[in-house]
PDB file of all heavy atoms in Angstrom:
ATOM      1  N   GLU L 111      93.208  85.025  85.443  1.00  0.00           N
ATOM      2  CA  GLU L 111      93.930  86.297  85.447  1.00  0.00           C
ATOM      3  C   GLU L 111      94.551  86.567  86.817  1.00  0.00           C
ATOM      4  O   GLU L 111      95.731  86.948  86.917  1.00  0.00           O
ATOM      5  CB  GLU L 111      92.978  87.431  85.074  1.00  0.00           C
ATOM      6  CG  GLU L 111      93.643  88.796  85.015  1.00  0.00           C
ATOM      7  CD  GLU L 111      92.686  89.914  84.631  1.00  0.00           C
ATOM      8  OE1 GLU L 111      91.483  89.642  84.435  1.00  0.00           O
ATOM      9  OE2 GLU L 111      93.145  91.067  84.531  1.00  0.00           O
ATOM     10  N   CYS L 112      93.763  86.374  87.871  1.00  0.00           N
ATOM     11  CA  CYS L 112      94.267  86.626  89.221  1.00  0.00           C
ATOM     12  C   CYS L 112      95.373  85.651  89.608  1.00  0.00           C
ATOM     13  O   CYS L 112      96.388  86.046  90.200  1.00  0.00           O
ATOM     14  CB  CYS L 112      93.119  86.536  90.229  1.00  0.00           C
ATOM     15  SG  CYS L 112      91.924  87.879  90.142  1.00  0.00           S
ATOM     16  N   LEU L 113      95.178  84.389  89.274  1.00  0.00           N
ATOM     17  CA  LEU L 113      96.164  83.369  89.656  1.00  0.00           C
ATOM     18  C   LEU L 113      97.477  83.544  88.898  1.00  0.00           C
ATOM     19  O   LEU L 113      98.559  83.290  89.454  1.00  0.00           O
ATOM     20  CB  LEU L 113      95.587  81.977  89.427  1.00  0.00           C
ATOM     21  CG  LEU L 113      94.498  81.573  90.434  1.00  0.00           C
ATOM     22  CD1 LEU L 113      93.750  80.340  89.946  1.00  0.00           C
ATOM     23  CD2 LEU L 113      95.107  81.311  91.804  1.00  0.00           C
ATOM     24  N   GLU L 114      97.407  83.958  87.654  1.00  0.00           N
ATOM     25  CA  GLU L 114      98.638  84.238  86.907  1.00  0.00           C
ATOM     26  C   GLU L 114      99.436  85.323  87.614  1.00  0.00           C
ATOM     27  O   GLU L 114     100.666  85.221  87.758  1.00  0.00           O
ATOM     28  CB  GLU L 114      98.303  84.678  85.475  1.00  0.00           C
ATOM     29  CG  GLU L 114      97.746  83.599  84.570  1.00  0.00           C
ATOM     30  CD  GLU L 114      98.831  82.732  83.937  1.00  0.00           C
ATOM     31  OE1 GLU L 114      99.992  82.803  84.377  1.00  0.00           O
ATOM     32  OE2 GLU L 114      98.495  81.987  83.000  1.00  0.00           O
ATOM     33  N   LYS L 115      98.749  86.361  88.058  1.00  0.00           N
ATOM     34  CA  LYS L 115      99.418  87.457  88.757  1.00  0.00           C
ATOM     35  C   LYS L 115      99.927  86.998  90.124  1.00  0.00           C
ATOM     36  O   LYS L 115     101.025  87.380  90.554  1.00  0.00           O
ATOM     37  CB  LYS L 115      98.462  88.646  88.914  1.00  0.00           C
ATOM     38  CG  LYS L 115      98.094  89.322  87.600  1.00  0.00           C
ATOM     39  CD  LYS L 115      97.133  90.482  87.820  1.00  0.00           C
ATOM     40  CE  LYS L 115      96.707  91.117  86.502  1.00  0.00           C
ATOM     41  NZ  LYS L 115      97.822  91.759  85.790  1.00  0.00           N
ATOM     42  N   LEU L 116      99.135  86.202  90.799  1.00  0.00           N
ATOM     43  CA  LEU L 116      99.521  85.721  92.128  1.00  0.00           C
ATOM     44  C   LEU L 116     100.783  84.875  92.068  1.00  0.00           C
ATOM     45  O   LEU L 116     101.728  85.073  92.848  1.00  0.00           O
ATOM     46  CB  LEU L 116      98.374  84.923  92.753  1.00  0.00           C
ATOM     47  CG  LEU L 116      98.660  84.268  94.107  1.00  0.00           C
ATOM     48  CD1 LEU L 116      99.067  85.306  95.138  1.00  0.00           C
ATOM     49  CD2 LEU L 116      97.429  83.494  94.590  1.00  0.00           C
ATOM     50  N   LEU L 117     100.821  83.924  91.135  1.00  0.00           N
ATOM     51  CA  LEU L 117     101.984  83.045  91.035  1.00  0.00           C
ATOM     52  C   LEU L 117     103.242  83.797  90.600  1.00  0.00           C
ATOM     53  O   LEU L 117     104.355  83.375  90.927  1.00  0.00           O
ATOM     54  CB  LEU L 117     101.710  81.890  90.072  1.00  0.00           C
ATOM     55  CG  LEU L 117     101.140  80.604  90.694  1.00  0.00           C
ATOM     56  CD1 LEU L 117      99.770  80.871  91.328  1.00  0.00           C
ATOM     57  CD2 LEU L 117     101.031  79.499  89.665  1.00  0.00           C
ATOM     58  N   ALA L 118     103.047  84.892  89.876  1.00  0.00           N
ATOM     59  CA  ALA L 118     104.192  85.674  89.406  1.00  0.00           C
ATOM     60  C   ALA L 118     104.691  86.666  90.456  1.00  0.00           C
ATOM     61  O   ALA L 118     105.768  87.245  90.298  1.00  0.00           O
ATOM     62  CB  ALA L 118     103.823  86.430  88.128  1.00  0.00           C
ATOM     63  N   ASP L 119     103.911  86.848  91.520  1.00  0.00           N
ATOM     64  CA  ASP L 119     104.292  87.812  92.554  1.00  0.00           C
ATOM     65  C   ASP L 119     105.498  87.303  93.350  1.00  0.00           C
ATOM     66  O   ASP L 119     105.562  86.123  93.701  1.00  0.00           O
ATOM     67  CB  ASP L 119     103.105  88.058  93.500  1.00  0.00           C
ATOM     68  CG  ASP L 119     103.333  89.250  94.411  1.00  0.00           C
ATOM     69  OD1 ASP L 119     104.119  89.124  95.373  1.00  0.00           O
ATOM     70  OD2 ASP L 119     102.732  90.305  94.158  1.00  0.00           O
ATOM     71  N   ASP L 120     106.422  88.197  93.650  1.00  0.00           N
ATOM     72  CA  ASP L 120     107.631  87.816  94.392  1.00  0.00           C
ATOM     73  C   ASP L 120     107.306  87.277  95.787  1.00  0.00           C
ATOM     74  O   ASP L 120     108.107  86.539  96.372  1.00  0.00           O
ATOM     75  CB  ASP L 120     108.577  89.014  94.526  1.00  0.00           C
ATOM     76  CG  ASP L 120     109.185  89.428  93.192  1.00  0.00           C
ATOM     77  OD1 ASP L 120     109.224  88.581  92.277  1.00  0.00           O
ATOM     78  OD2 ASP L 120     109.626  90.583  93.068  1.00  0.00           O
ATOM     79  N   ASN L 121     106.147  87.644  96.313  1.00  0.00           N
ATOM     80  CA  ASN L 121     105.770  87.227  97.665  1.00  0.00           C
ATOM     81  C   ASN L 121     104.851  86.010  97.677  1.00  0.00           C
ATOM     82  O   ASN L 121     104.286  85.683  98.725  1.00  0.00           O
ATOM     83  CB  ASN L 121     105.086  88.392  98.395  1.00  0.00           C
ATOM     84  CG  ASN L 121     106.030  89.547  98.657  1.00  0.00           C
ATOM     85  OD1 ASN L 121     107.142  89.342  99.128  1.00  0.00           O
ATOM     86  ND2 ASN L 121     105.610  90.760  98.328  1.00  0.00           N
ATOM     87  N   PHE L 122     104.706  85.361  96.536  1.00  0.00           N
ATOM     88  CA  PHE L 122     103.787  84.223  96.461  1.00  0.00           C
ATOM     89  C   PHE L 122     104.162  83.116  97.446  1.00  0.00           C
ATOM     90  O   PHE L 122     103.323  82.644  98.226  1.00  0.00           O
ATOM     91  CB  PHE L 122     103.746  83.663  95.037  1.00  0.00           C
ATOM     92  CG  PHE L 122     102.990  82.372  94.911  1.00  0.00           C
ATOM     93  CD1 PHE L 122     101.626  82.325  95.143  1.00  0.00           C
ATOM     94  CD2 PHE L 122     103.641  81.194  94.549  1.00  0.00           C
ATOM     95  CE1 PHE L 122     100.913  81.136  95.028  1.00  0.00           C
ATOM     96  CE2 PHE L 122     102.950  80.004  94.433  1.00  0.00           C
ATOM     97  CZ  PHE L 122     101.582  79.975  94.667  1.00  0.00           C
ATOM     98  N   GLU L 123     105.413  82.694  97.422  1.00  0.00           N
ATOM     99  CA  GLU L 123     105.850  81.593  98.294  1.00  0.00           C
ATOM    100  C   GLU L 123     105.668  81.964  99.763  1.00  0.00           C
ATOM    101  O   GLU L 123     105.127  81.176 100.552  1.00  0.00           O
ATOM    102  CB  GLU L 123     107.313  81.258  98.015  1.00  0.00           C
ATOM    103  CG  GLU L 123     107.591  80.728  96.614  1.00  0.00           C
ATOM    104  CD  GLU L 123     107.150  79.283  96.438  1.00  0.00           C
ATOM    105  OE1 GLU L 123     106.872  78.627  97.456  1.00  0.00           O
ATOM    106  OE2 GLU L 123     107.082  78.823  95.287  1.00  0.00           O
ATOM    107  N   ALA L 124     106.102  83.163 100.129  1.00  0.00           N
ATOM    108  CA  ALA L 124     105.998  83.593 101.520  1.00  0.00           C
ATOM    109  C   ALA L 124     104.539  83.710 101.954  1.00  0.00           C
ATOM    110  O   ALA L 124     104.186  83.381 103.094  1.00  0.00           O
ATOM    111  CB  ALA L 124     106.717  84.928 101.712  1.00  0.00           C
ATOM    112  N   THR L 125     103.684  84.160 101.043  1.00  0.00           N
ATOM    113  CA  THR L 125     102.258  84.298 101.346  1.00  0.00           C
ATOM    114  C   THR L 125     101.629  82.938 101.606  1.00  0.00           C
ATOM    115  O   THR L 125     100.864  82.762 102.567  1.00  0.00           O
ATOM    116  CB  THR L 125     101.528  85.004 100.187  1.00  0.00           C
ATOM    117  OG1 THR L 125     102.066  86.322 100.031  1.00  0.00           O
ATOM    118  CG2 THR L 125     100.038  85.099 100.460  1.00  0.00           C
ATOM    119  N   CYS L 126     101.953  81.969 100.768  1.00  0.00           N
ATOM    120  CA  CYS L 126     101.420  80.611 100.952  1.00  0.00           C
ATOM    121  C   CYS L 126     101.907  80.013 102.267  1.00  0.00           C
ATOM    122  O   CYS L 126     101.140  79.365 102.993  1.00  0.00           O
ATOM    123  CB  CYS L 126     101.831  79.720  99.782  1.00  0.00           C
ATOM    124  SG  CYS L 126     101.008  80.128  98.227  1.00  0.00           S
ATOM    125  N   GLU L 127     103.170  80.238 102.591  1.00  0.00           N
ATOM    126  CA  GLU L 127     103.716  79.727 103.848  1.00  0.00           C
ATOM    127  C   GLU L 127     103.013  80.357 105.045  1.00  0.00           C
ATOM    128  O   GLU L 127     102.699  79.669 106.028  1.00  0.00           O
ATOM    129  CB  GLU L 127     105.223  79.996 103.905  1.00  0.00           C
ATOM    130  CG  GLU L 127     106.037  79.154 102.948  1.00  0.00           C
ATOM    131  CD  GLU L 127     107.514  79.534 102.936  1.00  0.00           C
ATOM    132  OE1 GLU L 127     107.911  80.382 103.786  1.00  0.00           O
ATOM    133  OE2 GLU L 127     108.266  78.994 102.113  1.00  0.00           O
ATOM    134  N   ALA L 128     102.767  81.659 104.967  1.00  0.00           N
ATOM    135  CA  ALA L 128     102.088  82.350 106.068  1.00  0.00           C
ATOM    136  C   ALA L 128     100.671  81.838 106.245  1.00  0.00           C
ATOM    137  O   ALA L 128     100.199  81.627 107.374  1.00  0.00           O
ATOM    138  CB  ALA L 128     102.089  83.857 105.809  1.00  0.00           C
ATOM    139  N   MET L 129      99.963  81.623 105.137  1.00  0.00           N
ATOM    140  CA  MET L 129      98.592  81.117 105.226  1.00  0.00           C
ATOM    141  C   MET L 129      98.577  79.682 105.733  1.00  0.00           C
ATOM    142  O   MET L 129      97.672  79.288 106.482  1.00  0.00           O
ATOM    143  CB  MET L 129      97.903  81.232 103.864  1.00  0.00           C
ATOM    144  CG  MET L 129      97.626  82.669 103.453  1.00  0.00           C
ATOM    145  SD  MET L 129      96.509  82.853 102.021  1.00  0.00           S
ATOM    146  CE  MET L 129      97.509  82.132 100.719  1.00  0.00           C
ATOM    147  N   ASP L 130      99.570  78.898 105.348  1.00  0.00           N
ATOM    148  CA  ASP L 130      99.676  77.521 105.849  1.00  0.00           C
ATOM    149  C   ASP L 130      99.889  77.508 107.358  1.00  0.00           C
ATOM    150  O   ASP L 130      99.285  76.704 108.086  1.00  0.00           O
ATOM    151  CB  ASP L 130     100.830  76.790 105.153  1.00  0.00           C
ATOM    152  CG  ASP L 130     100.457  76.295 103.769  1.00  0.00           C
ATOM    153  OD1 ASP L 130      99.261  76.293 103.436  1.00  0.00           O
ATOM    154  OD2 ASP L 130     101.375  75.905 103.018  1.00  0.00           O
ATOM    155  N   LEU L 131     100.766  78.391 107.840  1.00  0.00           N
ATOM    156  CA  LEU L 131     101.041  78.460 109.281  1.00  0.00           C
ATOM    157  C   LEU L 131      99.789  78.864 110.048  1.00  0.00           C
ATOM    158  O   LEU L 131      99.494  78.308 111.114  1.00  0.00           O
ATOM    159  CB  LEU L 131     102.168  79.453 109.556  1.00  0.00           C
ATOM    160  CG  LEU L 131     103.583  78.986 109.180  1.00  0.00           C
ATOM    161  CD1 LEU L 131     104.580  80.132 109.341  1.00  0.00           C
ATOM    162  CD2 LEU L 131     104.003  77.790 110.038  1.00  0.00           C
ATOM    163  N   ALA L 132      99.044  79.828 109.503  1.00  0.00           N
ATOM    164  CA  ALA L 132      97.808  80.266 110.151  1.00  0.00           C
ATOM    165  C   ALA L 132      96.781  79.131 110.193  1.00  0.00           C
ATOM    166  O   ALA L 132      96.117  78.928 111.220  1.00  0.00           O
ATOM    167  CB  ALA L 132      97.237  81.477 109.417  1.00  0.00           C
ATOM    168  N   ASN L 133      96.670  78.391 109.109  1.00  0.00           N
ATOM    169  CA  ASN L 133      95.730  77.269 109.068  1.00  0.00           C
ATOM    170  C   ASN L 133      96.163  76.140 109.998  1.00  0.00           C
ATOM    171  O   ASN L 133      95.337  75.508 110.657  1.00  0.00           O
ATOM    172  CB  ASN L 133      95.596  76.752 107.639  1.00  0.00           C
ATOM    173  CG  ASN L 133      94.530  77.502 106.856  1.00  0.00           C
ATOM    174  OD1 ASN L 133      94.128  78.594 107.247  1.00  0.00           O
ATOM    175  ND2 ASN L 133      94.083  76.938 105.758  1.00  0.00           N
ATOM    176  N   GLU L 134      97.474  75.900 110.019  1.00  0.00           N
ATOM    177  CA  GLU L 134      97.989  74.840 110.894  1.00  0.00           C
ATOM    178  C   GLU L 134      97.685  75.149 112.352  1.00  0.00           C
ATOM    179  O   GLU L 134      97.280  74.264 113.108  1.00  0.00           O
ATOM    180  CB  GLU L 134      99.498  74.693 110.686  1.00  0.00           C
ATOM    181  CG  GLU L 134     100.106  73.532 111.449  1.00  0.00           C
ATOM    182  CD  GLU L 134     101.583  73.355 111.154  1.00  0.00           C
ATOM    183  OE1 GLU L 134     102.168  74.213 110.467  1.00  0.00           O
ATOM    184  OE2 GLU L 134     102.164  72.359 111.627  1.00  0.00           O
ATOM    185  N   ALA L 135      97.854  76.410 112.732  1.00  0.00           N
ATOM    186  CA  ALA L 135      97.575  76.818 114.106  1.00  0.00           C
ATOM    187  C   ALA L 135      96.091  76.688 114.435  1.00  0.00           C
ATOM    188  O   ALA L 135      95.718  76.438 115.591  1.00  0.00           O
ATOM    189  CB  ALA L 135      98.032  78.258 114.325  1.00  0.00           C
ATOM    190  N   ALA L 136      95.261  76.845 113.406  1.00  0.00           N
ATOM    191  CA  ALA L 136      93.812  76.758 113.605  1.00  0.00           C
ATOM    192  C   ALA L 136      93.273  75.351 113.360  1.00  0.00           C
ATOM    193  O   ALA L 136      92.059  75.124 113.430  1.00  0.00           O
ATOM    194  CB  ALA L 136      93.100  77.747 112.684  1.00  0.00           C
ATOM    195  N   GLY L 137      94.168  74.422 113.065  1.00  0.00           N
ATOM    196  CA  GLY L 137      93.745  73.050 112.817  1.00  0.00           C
ATOM    197  C   GLY L 137      93.038  72.861 111.494  1.00  0.00           C
ATOM    198  O   GLY L 137      92.221  71.950 111.339  1.00  0.00           O
ATOM    199  N   LYS L 138      93.358  73.733 110.521  1.00  0.00           N
ATOM    200  CA  LYS L 138      92.736  73.663 109.198  1.00  0.00           C
ATOM    201  C   LYS L 138      93.723  73.112 108.172  1.00  0.00           C
ATOM    202  O   LYS L 138      94.925  73.091 108.419  1.00  0.00           O
ATOM    203  CB  LYS L 138      92.251  75.054 108.777  1.00  0.00           C
ATOM    204  CG  LYS L 138      91.169  75.638 109.671  1.00  0.00           C
ATOM    205  CD  LYS L 138      90.773  77.025 109.199  1.00  0.00           C
ATOM    206  CE  LYS L 138      89.703  77.630 110.085  1.00  0.00           C
ATOM    207  NZ  LYS L 138      89.319  79.003 109.632  1.00  0.00           N
TER     208      LYS L 138
END
Side-chain angles (χ1 to χ4, degrees):
E111 182 180 2
C112 290
L113 288 166
E114 290 277 13
K115 293 179 183 295
L116 176 58
L117 268 62
D119 192 285
D120 291 338
N121 294 313
F122 171 66
E123 296 284 346
T125 298
C126 290
E127 290 175 7
M129 291 192 294
D130 280 347
L131 286 173
N133 273 18
E134 185 176 7
K138 297 179 180 179

